[in-house]
Amino acid sequence: MADSTEEAAVATQPEVFRNYRDRKKCSPEEDVRLEKQHFWNVINAFKYYRVHVHERVNRAERQFQCLPHHHQQILTNFHCHLNKIRDCIDRNHEVLQAIVHNCLHMFENMEYGENGDPRKVRPSSTFDMDKLKSTIKQFVRDWSEEGRTERDTCYKPIVDEIQRLFPPEKCNLSQVRVLVPGAGLGRLAWEIAHLGYSCQGNEWSFFMLFSSNFVLNRCDEENALTIYPWIHQFSNNKRSSDQTRPVSFPDVNPQSLSADADFSMVAGDFQEIYSEPEVWDCVATCFFIDTAHNVLDYIETIWNILKPGGVWINLGPLLFHYENMANELSIELSYEEIKTVILKYGFIVEMERESVPSTYTENDRSMLKYLYDSVFFTARKPEKQLTSGDQTPKNDAKESSLMKIS
Ligand SMILES: C[S@@+](CC[C@H](N)C(=O)[O-])C[C@H]1O[C@@H](n2cnc3c(N)ncnc32)[C@H](O)[C@@H]1O
């Protein structure tokens, strides 16, 4: 039986869910101020990375120095390995600086002003450092030869499904409008545009936006750049060299889209900026729906923005992003429950695979690997609706920031 004092404590301390719909309560000026502050925090994180990771290596060195002398003498390669990691940090730092160089004006309709002395770097939070390390690994998934297997299991099924539903012999591809919310570094959206569809990626993380802007707009030579994505992993390495192995990117020239390709990236919160009803032929979500505070909001938005007869293609697991975050609303549903919601909105599930093995930014040489057993489905919004969700456009829609793609 539950302890009554515990129950009382819970009852008197209701949780506050920040950032969920509450955000709309702050004034537009405050919203802009917070966004600018966040923008500069992310720039700062790109600059602080080098100090942060060097400190991690210094810690490893200090710990080594605590060992008895005869143990130190056995580990003859230890210093040399740490020095290799230090070199890799500096190489990563150079790429990160190139990414944030000139990103002040990357959005068509938003300026972020100045932020004091650009040389001054403050310590960033562990949270931001983890985001940056994940972003570095996302380069492998999206834009490297090493990421090909992962893309074949995550992106290819979606691309194949789009081609099956909108075949070139029956459709004018440039008239088929595809939206990819939570586009990460943009490879899936780019592949769809590369096939001739009109495709827009949407992303809200500045870490991802700065990086996709860099790849899509400033890289034009295959494998011209090198990163060291695994140096932050000190455990589960079979060989020391696995930790310091390089990865080149981009594996394709991102500028190789045809001149008349219709491809764009839009910055902002998917739910806030996509409010115009019935404009998309296809919404393709990959490892995205579990980023919602409330996945019903996403389903409702997708329902509203799809044209009658349009399709939602989804592939991914249900690793709910807000599950363990204090003061954040998080509604965790099983796939079974999500499917019931999808059907209640009126979608017709036309294709469903409940077991698609897939990985996410996997280090293929690590002794620890995660394998997701993803769901993959296509749900159609019928031409004529029998039941309906909320199809009214939201009148508090936010303006989006269009990323310039050259
Ligand atoms: C797990 S990642 C998947 C990225 C990419 N689709 C892939 O498969 O590699 C989820 C992405 O969704 C983005 N995201 C989360 N919530 C979002 C929102 N409300 N609007 C737009 N993007 C969002 C995150 O920043 C992140 O890049």
Side-chain angles (χ1 to χ4, degrees), residues 232-246:
H232 320 107
Q233 180 180 324
F234 284 79
S235 294
N236 287 313
N237 291 305
K238 281 214 172 121
R239 302 185 206 302
S240 304
S241 58
D242 290 345
Q243 192 180 0
T244 51
R245 73 190 191 279

Side-chain angles (χ1 to χ4, degrees), residues 138 141 155 182 202-205 269-270 286-287 291 298 360:
Q138 189 83 23
R141 174 175 171 89
Y155 298 167
N202 154 244
E203 177 55 59
W204 79 342
S205 153
D269 180 341
F270 163 64
C286 185
F287 280 65
T291 65
Y298 278 12
Y360 191 80

Side-chain angles (χ1 to χ4, degrees), residues 54 58 69 74 92 100 176 229 246 258 295 339 383 402:
H54 270 296
N58 293 344
H69 188 62
I74 294 171
N92 279 355
V100 290
V176 179
S258 76
V295 66
K339 189 172 165 189
E383 289 282 355
L402 190 68

